[in-house]
Amino acid sequence: MTTLLVSQSNFADHVTPQGHPERVERIAALEEALHRPRFDALQRRDAPSGDLLLAELVHDGSYLERLRTARPAEGIGQLDADTFISSSSLSAAATGLGGALLALDAVLLGEVDNAFCAIRPPGHHAEIATPMGFCLINTVAIVAREAQRKYGAERVAIIDFDVHHGNGTQDIFKADSSVFYASSHQMPLYPGTGRADETGVGNIVNVPLAAHSGGEAMRAAYLDTIIPALRDFSPDLLLLSSGFDAHERDPLAQLNWQSGDFGWLTGKLMDVAERACGNRIVSLLEGGYDLKGLAGGASHHVAMLMDGATGRLDD
Ligand SMILES: [Zn+2]
């Protein structure tokens, strides 16, 4: 496998208040972990700035204007109880989007097999009309639409293994059978959506997991429910909302997955991508708020993307 790592040089431009879990140090921790010799074979590219107007592919017409209005000239503004926007946040969001679209191009043009984008702010909680849950624009949803618009992809799948339900992604695609969305997430937990009976037009699969259920329940969720549904959908492209906050170290949730569980899950998703869509996977960072847990989970995820089953890490 040839794996692209897209980094975002201006990730620190999106500033959140002191003590906020979605913080600048997250990307620095990932970069340190993915610069170890084990990851020397990664192709590395810096994210260019993307066109924020593409947000209108998934958000309503006044959405960007609302973000621009809420953005302070300096310091940090607030969008809701836990979602913040600083003076340069939109520049960071544009670069995160640009990085994700660069990864999409590289994968769909066959320059690499798959890609991981270490970007922030995250996106999967951002609904059609509402930024929320640390998220400003729904980057993974925009990438799905661009895959369809620019490359003619007919069936795009998004698998979301962040510990929180991706209410925004579900909101955007719940009536669109050309996009499959499946999520495993802790329930009850923020944002409260993601019940198993939320199925869209047959294109949504939600598997709520109980607190403390651990890696075994995760494996059953994927083997019994999500992987068979994904295989049936047979995507042209597989996008991942890769949150690492289901890790046992994470302070915001209690699913208690080990670092190796993220590698196992990645391998199972790669098996489907190999059969359905020529290995094409674009993975975007979402959550993950313990720096060691984030680095550990992402290391196993990326090692598996690079080497398939031989990419298992021991630590
Ligand atoms: Zn999350």
Side-chain angles (χ1 to χ4, degrees):
M1 292 286 169
T2 314
T3 298
L4 174 66
L5 172 65
V6 177
S7 329
Q8 178 189 357
S9 55
N10 72 340
F11 63 86
D13 285 357
H14 174 54
V15 183
T16 52
Q18 184 105 38
H20 195 283
E22 205 293 285
R23 59 206 191 275
V24 167
E25 291 80 1
R26 298 177 61 234
I27 302 292
L30 269 185
E31 294 209 329
E32 187 184 338
L34 297 177
H35 268 93
R36 288 176 291 164
R38 170 68 180 79
F39 299 99
D40 280 352
L42 284 170
Q43 288 195 19
R44 295 167 193 266
R45 306 263 301 269
D46 274 338
S49 186
D51 183 359
L52 273 186
L53 282 178
L54 291 171
E56 292 185 1
L57 290 171
V58 304
H59 295 294
D60 72 24
S62 59
Y63 191 90
L64 279 177
E65 197 47 46
R66 276 186 59 206
L67 290 181
R68 289 197 179 105
T69 303
R71 175 184 51 172
E74 55 186 53
I76 302 173
Q78 191 161 10
L79 292 163
D80 69 13
D82 51 20
T83 311
F84 294 86
I85 184 166
S86 61
S87 53
S88 296
S89 286
L90 289 181
S91 157
T95 308
L97 175 60
L101 293 173
L102 178 149
L104 176 73
D105 288 342
V107 168
L108 289 189
L109 294 173
E111 296 167 6
V112 297
D113 293 300
N114 54 40
F116 176 69
C117 303
I119 56 177
R120 65 183 286 275
H124 72 151
H125 293 307
E127 298 187 338
I128 294 171
T130 312
M132 58 182 277
F134 314 165
C135 301
L136 299 183
I137 59 170
N138 196 317
T139 307
V140 76
I142 299 168
V143 171
R145 279 286 181 249
E146 266 298 85
Q148 295 182 316
R149 191 179 76 121
K150 187 171 176 185
Y151 291 100
E154 292 179 354
R155 294 181 311 285
V156 179
I158 302 169
I159 304 296
D160 185 335
F161 58 82
D162 189 280
V163 81
H164 303 96
H165 179 242
N167 59 294
T169 311
Q170 174 170 299
D171 180 49
I172 288 164
F173 297 117
K174 61 183 184 249
D176 180 352
S177 61
S178 73
V179 177
F180 172 88
Y181 175 73
S183 172
S184 58
H185 45 271
Q186 182 174 325
M187 188 172 240
L189 191 68
Y190 182 91
T193 52
R195 294 189 321 268
D197 64 359
E198 296 170 23
T199 56
V201 288
N203 63 324
I204 307 279
V205 175
N206 283 307
V207 184
L209 297 168
H212 310 291
S213 56
E216 206 160 308
M218 179 276 285
R219 283 166 160 76
Y222 280 88
L223 291 176
D224 298 345
T225 306
I226 294 177
I227 297 281
L230 175 63
R231 215 181 271 139
D232 285 350
F233 180 75
S234 191
D236 301 324
L237 168 69
L238 180 52
L239 303 179
L240 304 182
S241 267
S242 297
F244 298 94
D245 39 9
H247 195 282
E248 62 176 348
R249 295 182 56 97
D250 201 273
L252 298 195
Q254 299 80 32
L255 276 194
N256 297 346
W257 297 3
Q258 314 280 315
S259 293
D261 288 327
F262 293 94
W264 178 90
L265 170 53
T266 305
K268 292 296 166 196
L269 297 171
M270 289 172 73
D271 288 346
V272 181
E274 181 183 10
R275 287 190 199 128
C277 57
N279 300 307
R280 291 189 286 274
I281 295 178
V282 177
S283 170
L284 309 187
L285 178 65
E286 299 279 3
Y289 303 104
D290 176 84
L291 299 183
K292 281 188 181 162
L294 170 63
S299 293
H300 282 257
H301 175 60
V302 173
M304 185 64 76
L305 286 176
M306 292 170 72
D307 297 335
T310 60
R312 277 193 205 98
L313 293 181
D314 292 330
D315 58 351

